[in-house]
Each structure stands twice: as structure tokens, then as C-alpha cells.
Amino acid sequence: MFKTYEKYIIQNFIKKFLSISLVFFCLIIILSVLEEISFFKELNVNVFYPYILTVLSSPITLFEIFPFIFLIATQYLFYDLFRKEELTLLKINGLSNLKIIKILFITSIMMGILTVIIFYNVASKLKFFYTDIKNNFSNDNKYLAVVNNSGLWLKDEINGNILIIKSTNIDDNLLKNVVINEFDQDFEIKRIIQSEAVDIDKKEWLVKNPTITIKNISEKNDDDLNFLTNFDKEKIYKLFSNISTLNILELFNLKKDYENLGYSSDEIKIHLLRLFSTPLFYSALTVLSSVIMFNFKRGRSLFFYILLGILTSVIIYYVTFMFSSMGKNGQIPIMTSIFLPIVLISIIATIGLVRVNEK
């Protein structure tokens, strides 16, 4: 069982984390609601729509900045301990600086596991509801892209026609084994176009050697067919990039479907690895923040520590973003892109721990 002073540190740390999270959540809502109001200003909808959508989308944004909340919460905790001179009292009770950091380290890991298992899955579902509701008011609602076990499916509407397109796999700017079903507005079939390869580099697709079926009569063409759609390579890839609306199980299923389709699943792998490494990242930042606090002169203002926390967070954000981008682009291995920043932070924190008990 935890001793009284250990419980005090854990409870105090969690309170600091929750209070700072609440502050950031309010800031996210204030900043996001303006964007939603701007989106709905031309639409005849209930006045509460922007606020409801803001609340639905904000938790996933909060999850993304949790690492820096852990860093700032640790600084806030030690600032309080220094200000109230409680650190001396804890030392009298046999709690060294290193043991305090150890308690915070373990607490951060446990909180990280809970945030991934519970908070992330709830936040991703809320984000899904947000996307689903907002798509009903978007001009792109008539377009649809789905990946499942049978391949890639696209729904499109253009020039008064409805298109249902299926492809078994995608290779850079080529759709392979394509079937295009073209319907009129009453969903009466007009023609079926089949091709082994379609160039989708532009919105005017180049259908290679198509077989066109009209009224059950098929004709093979040696010439390529120009076919206008609302999709191109960039738009199709972009439709698959919003993985924050999926929970962990759905991410695994989508990864499998992407690999069956031939579409790169690197972004999903990076996202999953980042989720699984989240507890380690939180704990590394907590230790780093503790070391920073012990190595700065005490008695400084709260404003100084806030600036210090923001500066440290910005540096860490850009370092992790740089490695993540390199991983997505294939410049470095995916595992390296996720774990190298954590290793670097851990090394710096470990160096700072060498003489932390003397502080």
C-alpha cells in the first residue's frame, strides 16, 4: 500500500494534471468554436450546432497535447512543493528527490495506459461523430471512398451521372482491375467500363484499353478513354488520412485492408506505434520536467516556469514532428521515427538524474 506522503504526491500530481487539462480544453473550445461558427454562418441550422461539434472534436485535440500537459503539470507540482517548502518535509520522512521522481514516473505510465485505452478510444469515437455530422453539411458529402476486404470503392456524382467505382488495389497513380458503373439519377445503369489499369493522376482519368458494356453488349477498345471524375490521386489519398476518427481495433482492421489494397499503411503503423509508446513518452517527459525543476534555482516566479514549460514543449514537438515526418516519407525506419525521440529525451533526463539527490 502507498504511504501517506506517496499518496499525497500522486493525488497532487493528478490534480495538477486535471486542472491544466481543463485549462487547455477550454482554450481548445474557444479557438475551435470560432471556426465552426464560420463554417455554419451561411447554413440554416440550430444555433447550438457549432458548440456541439466543437465539444465532439475537442477531446481528440486534447489527447494530442497530453504529453506537454504532463510536462507542465510536473513543473507546476514542483513549483508548489518549492513554494510551500514541502520538499524539506518529504525528505525528513525519508522521501529523496530520486524517489519522488520514481513515484511520478510510475504514475505517468499508469495514467498513460488509461488515457490510451479509455480516453483515446472515447475521443476517437466522438471525432467520428463530429466528422459524420459535419459531412452532412459539406459539399463533398456526395463523394465517398471506402476500403474493405474486396478493395477500394468510390462513389461520385458528376454531370448528372452517379458513378460506383471498384478497384482491387492502388499503385501510386494507378488503380488496378477497375470496374466503373455509371448510372443516371434514377439509378438506371447506363454503361459499365472495365479496365486493368486507370491513371488517376488528374481528375480526368485515363482509362487504359477499356471494355465498355452498354445494354449487355460489350466492346473492347484499343484506344485509351478519358473519363472525368471529382477524384484524383491527391484527393483519394487525402480521404484516407483522417485516422484520428478510428479506435485501436478499427486501426488494426484498416491497416489490414490497406495492405490488401496495396495502399501504404505506414501512416497507420506510425499512429499505432505512437499510441503504444504513449505511456513511455509521458513518463520520459515527466522525468525530464522533474530534472529541469531540480536544476533551476528555486524562488523563481510561476510565469518563468510557464514560459520554460512552453519553450520545452515547442522544442520537443518539433523534434517529434521531424522524426515522424521522416518516418512517413520513408527516410528512416518507422520504429526509429517513434522511439528515437523518446530515447533522446530519456538519455537527457537520465544524465540529469545523476546528482539529483544533491539538489
Side-chain angles (χ1 to χ4, degrees), residues 63-296:
F63 178 82
E64 292 170 0
I65 61 175
F66 268 164
F68 313 113
I69 293 177
F70 270 90
L71 190 149
I72 296 171
T74 306
Q75 290 184 319
Y76 189 17
L77 171 68
F78 279 107
Y79 171 79
D80 251 10
L81 292 177
F82 295 158
R83 183 174 60 87
K84 298 176 181 177
E85 298 185 353
E86 293 176 338
L87 200 60
T88 304
L89 183 61
L90 291 172
K91 285 184 177 181
I92 293 173
N93 284 275
L95 206 60
S96 65
N97 293 344
L98 202 57
K99 192 168 184 180
I100 294 173
I101 295 175
K102 180 182 176 182
I103 292 170
L104 295 177
F105 174 81
I106 296 172
T107 304
S108 298
I109 288 180
M110 297 307 296
M111 290 173 66
I113 293 171
L114 291 175
T115 56
V116 172
I117 294 176
I118 300 174
F119 188 89
Y120 173 79
N121 285 305
V122 172
S124 64
K125 184 58 67 175
L126 293 176
K127 181 70 173 182
F128 173 79
F129 291 145
Y130 164 85
T131 305
D132 191 44
I133 293 172
K134 198 165 182 178
N135 279 346
N136 291 327
F137 299 97
S138 172
N139 292 329
D140 285 343
N141 188 41
K142 60 184 178 181
Y143 314 134
L144 180 65
V146 175
V147 177
N148 56 31
N149 291 329
S150 62
L152 168 67
W153 292 83
L154 300 172
K155 175 181 176 291
D156 192 8
E157 293 185 28
I158 190 166
N159 297 332
N161 296 320
I162 299 171
L163 308 175
I164 304 295
I165 304 163
K166 178 186 177 296
S167 171
T168 58
N169 62 299
I170 186 170
D171 182 10
D172 193 23
N173 63 322
L174 290 179
L175 289 180
K176 300 295 186 65
N177 302 317
V178 180
V179 179
I180 303 173
N181 298 281
E182 187 174 353
F183 300 87
D184 60 21
Q185 290 296 317
D186 297 321
F187 263 96
E188 294 290 334
I189 188 73
K190 295 179 67 174
R191 60 175 175 169
I192 300 173
I193 303 171
Q194 296 173 278
S195 174
E196 292 185 1
V198 177
D199 189 328
I200 59 170
D201 192 50
K202 300 177 181 178
K203 290 186 178 180
E204 187 174 17
W205 291 2
L206 188 63
V207 184
K208 300 179 182 295
N209 307 120
T211 298
I212 302 175
T213 302
I214 301 176
K215 294 182 179 180
N216 295 323
I217 299 175
S218 300
E219 181 181 348
K220 176 74 174 178
N221 291 275
D222 295 326
D223 296 328
D224 295 340
L225 172 69
N226 292 321
F227 192 83
L228 188 64
T229 74
N230 288 299
F231 291 98
D232 57 12
K233 170 186 170 182
E234 182 180 355
K235 184 170 184 177
I236 290 175
Y237 282 11
K238 191 178 293 183
L239 286 169
F240 297 150
S241 63
N242 192 12
I243 56 179
S244 63
T245 61
L246 305 176
N247 61 39
I248 294 175
L249 181 61
E250 290 169 336
L251 285 169
F252 274 111
N253 291 334
L254 185 63
K255 174 179 171 292
K256 182 180 178 182
D257 290 338
Y258 274 18
E259 289 170 350
N260 291 336
L261 180 65
Y263 181 70
S264 173
S265 62
D266 285 353
E267 188 175 1
I268 299 177
K269 291 177 183 176
I270 290 173
H271 192 67
L272 283 169
L273 282 173
R274 185 181 290 117
L275 288 175
F276 293 143
S277 64
T278 288
L280 291 176
F281 192 35
Y282 290 173
S283 58
L285 288 176
T286 299
V287 174
L288 177 64
S289 181
S290 302
V291 168
I292 290 173
M293 293 299 290
F294 277 119
N295 282 277
F296 270 91

